[in-house]
Amino acid sequence: MIKGKKIILGITGSIAAYKAALIVRLLIKAGAEVKVIMTTSASNFIAPLTLSTLSKNQVLSELSENETWANHVALGRWADIMLLAPLSCNTLAKMANGICDNLLLAVYLSATCPVVVAPAMDEDMWIHQSTKQNINKLLSFGNHLIPVNNGELASGLSGQGRMAEPEEIIAWLEKFFLCKQELIGKRVLITAGPTHEQIDPVRFIGNHSTGKMGIALAKECMARGASVSLVLGPTAEAVPAGMEVIRVTSAREMLDACLTIFPQTDIAIMCAAVADFSPVTASAQKIKKLNDNITIELTQTPDILKTLGGLKNDGQFLVGFALETDNEKEHALQKLRKKNADLIILNSLRDQGAGFGKETNKITIFDQGENEYKFETKLKSAVATDIVNTILKVYHV
Ligand code: C5P
């Protein structure tokens, strides 16, 4: 609930700044206490007087004014949440790099509360590689993102980069305060999707995984306040916003990405359907149909879950999946032990609502004490909620 919450609204130089007045109005109406901090370029787009009137508080923008120092540390500690809306490309880049040349940035750097940003920029800027890197950096710091919309832009063009509407921002905050943020401060690593093992430049070994379950888990963990890194194999599914996404193709690349992230990870969920075998050598040229039969020598891919199970320390929690067709419980428990996982999530291909590409899943979870948590067939988003609830039950955050 927004009622009674202390909110810092940071406004930066973007035409969407005119909508900040409505954000303040809606926050005040919802019962929040609001303090506005503006960059100097923001005040070219909207008058501080409008915002001080609506927020019933003095608007701050300078580190010192009339020989009085604005206590950015106290401001950063006062708030329950710091919202930057609109967040310009320039302030985003400064936040990603620890630059501190105005009051807003000083407050950001000293904020002890959660920080959420609602960017606004033209599509070309939004899709630029540097913007993507800066957004991913912010997410890796544990900041939250309210995704941009697609629509009319200040340039007259239409596309991605439009700031979320004030009503959407308020709805995001309502949800944020309502939902128990049990995973705040936790870093979660999730693998999802298939891997493709290259045979030649046009062919690969893969499987039917779409990554839907792993993406649902990544969204659920993010909604619970975690900072999420999603290592995602080849899939046509939309890449979720608001988290660090590392695209990979092969099992080897997936392992390398996981090994980089795992040391800073609290919870790792290995949901990917990693291809089990990979050609020993990938042909540099397309293989010609010279004979009726050909032989491709295959070798096992690295087992990522097992590798992380071997590296895991006491504070880390590791979750694996087991997709089985027979002797399900026995095979799942074997995997739990062999790979040193803390939980194993079993789905059986014998269950109608489970399997690749489906919108639903039916799972049973086992922990190291062989406790069994059984669930009905549900939408993958609801299955993700059950999985995170079970993780929280077993792993004492
Ligand atoms: O051995 P199996 O593939 O059935 O085990 C499934 C679990 O192991 C899943 O959590 C999957 O993500 C993980 N796995 C892995 N690397 C592999 C094979 C499976 O991380 N090469």
Side-chain angles (χ1 to χ4, degrees):
M1 274 221 315
I2 287 179
K3 192 167 188 305
K5 292 286 185 291
K6 300 188 183 86
I7 298 176
I8 288 180
L9 173 62
I11 308 174
T12 71
S14 151
I15 181 62
Y18 82 91
K19 293 188 182 172
L22 191 52
I23 297 176
V24 176
R25 183 75 194 107
L26 292 171
L27 287 175
I28 296 288
K29 255 179 130 173
E33 205 181 324
V34 182
K35 289 189 182 178
V36 174
I37 306 176
M38 299 173 80
T39 60
T40 26
S41 70
S43 51
N44 293 327
F45 292 94
I46 182 163
L49 182 62
T50 309
L51 298 157
S52 62
T53 310
L54 290 171
S55 69
K56 305 181 177 77
N57 266 317
Q58 186 196 353
V59 170
L60 304 162
S61 70
E62 304 292 344
L63 268 160
S64 62
E65 226 160 317
N66 303 329
E67 284 161 33
T68 316
W69 177 65
N71 190 338
H72 55 85
V73 179
L75 277 167
R77 284 169 183 255
W78 168 82
D80 293 309
I81 198 162
M82 179 174 186
L83 163 69
L84 285 102
L87 175 67
S88 67
C89 201
N90 184 35
T91 299
L92 164 67
K94 289 181 181 180
M95 288 166 78
N97 290 287
I99 294 172
C100 184
D101 63 0
N102 61 37
L103 177 65
L104 180 55
L105 291 161
V107 174
Y108 166 67
L109 288 169
S110 34
T112 50
C113 60
V115 176
V116 54
V117 299
M121 60 196 81
D122 241 73
E123 186 174 53
D124 296 338
M125 296 163 91
W126 176 249
I127 61 176
H128 195 280
Q129 210 48 38
S130 65
T131 306
K132 284 187 190 158
Q133 280 178 10
N134 288 335
I135 288 281
N136 276 337
K137 255 185 162 176
L138 253 54
L139 296 171
S140 74
F141 302 157
N143 299 160
H144 302 269
L145 173 73
I146 302 182
V148 295
N149 283 340
N150 221 306
E152 285 174 62
L153 300 165
S155 58
L157 299 171
S158 181
Q160 291 179 60
R162 202 178 144 88
M163 185 177 79
E165 293 304 325
E167 291 79 4
E168 291 174 307
I169 293 175
I170 304 304
W172 191 98
L173 290 172
E174 282 289 7
K175 197 167 160 224
F176 181 86
F177 286 125
L178 263 181
C179 132
K180 281 191 263 150
Q181 298 273 294
E182 306 101 322
L183 291 176
I184 272 193
K186 297 287 168 202
R187 186 147 189 214
V188 179
L189 162 66
I190 297 172
T191 63
T195 65
H196 288 176
E197 311 301 322
Q198 203 183 325
I199 297 172
D200 67 17
V202 295
R203 304 178 179 101
F204 59 82
I205 298 173
N207 58 61
H208 295 297
S209 168
T210 55
K212 283 183 203 280
M213 190 63 244
I215 291 172
L217 271 166
K219 287 182 179 167
E220 179 68 24
C221 290
M222 198 183 70
R224 306 273 193 116
S227 159
V228 178
S229 298
L230 176 66
V231 180
L232 186 59
T235 170
E237 289 295 307
V239 173
M243 62 187 74
E244 182 189 26
V245 180
I246 301 106
R247 298 303 302 251
V248 295
T249 304
S250 66
R252 183 81 245 170
E253 286 172 19
M254 191 172 267
L255 174 68
D256 289 344
C258 289
L259 287 175
T260 309
I261 300 164
F262 191 61
Q264 304 93 46
T265 295
D266 299 294
I267 301 168
I269 310 175
M270 300 291 102
C271 188
V274 184
D276 290 317
F277 296 98
S278 176
V280 172
T281 48
S283 168
Q285 313 301 334
K286 186 178 172 196
I287 299 171
K288 297 275 176 270
K289 289 185 281 185
L290 299 176
N291 304 310
D292 283 349
N293 299 319
I294 70 156
T295 302
I296 300 170
E297 198 187 343
L298 302 178
T299 180
Q300 269 199 34
T301 53
D303 191 320
I304 304 165
L305 177 61
K306 198 170 164 196
T307 309
L308 300 190
L311 296 170
K312 182 171 69 126
N313 65 36
D314 282 350
Q316 290 179 307
F317 195 84
L318 185 60
V319 182
F321 274 72
L323 178 64
E324 305 294 338
T325 54
D326 62 298
N327 282 335
E328 286 90 343
K329 179 174 177 176
E330 193 188 322
H331 286 142
L333 286 173
Q334 271 171 12
K335 272 178 198 165
L336 178 83
R337 294 205 191 88
K338 206 171 89 192
K339 304 194 185 203
N340 193 27
D342 297 285
L343 286 184
I344 202 98
I345 298 158
L346 165 70
N347 32 150
S348 169
L349 273 188
R350 285 200 280 189
D351 285 324
Q352 290 234 316
F356 290 139
K358 298 232 167 75
E359 296 303 326
T360 56
N361 202 358
K362 185 172 191 304
I363 58 158
T364 305
I365 306 182
F366 298 96
D367 66 16
Q368 285 192 336
E370 296 193 18
N371 295 307
E372 196 170 324
Y373 309 84
K374 257 183 172 336
F375 300 93
E376 293 309 310
T377 304
K378 295 181 184 182
L379 280 175
K380 284 185 171 166
S381 54
V383 173
T385 306
D386 290 336
I387 292 173
V388 174
N389 285 342
T390 312
I391 292 174
L392 288 165
K393 210 178 274 179
V394 180
Y395 169 61
H396 300 290
V397 187

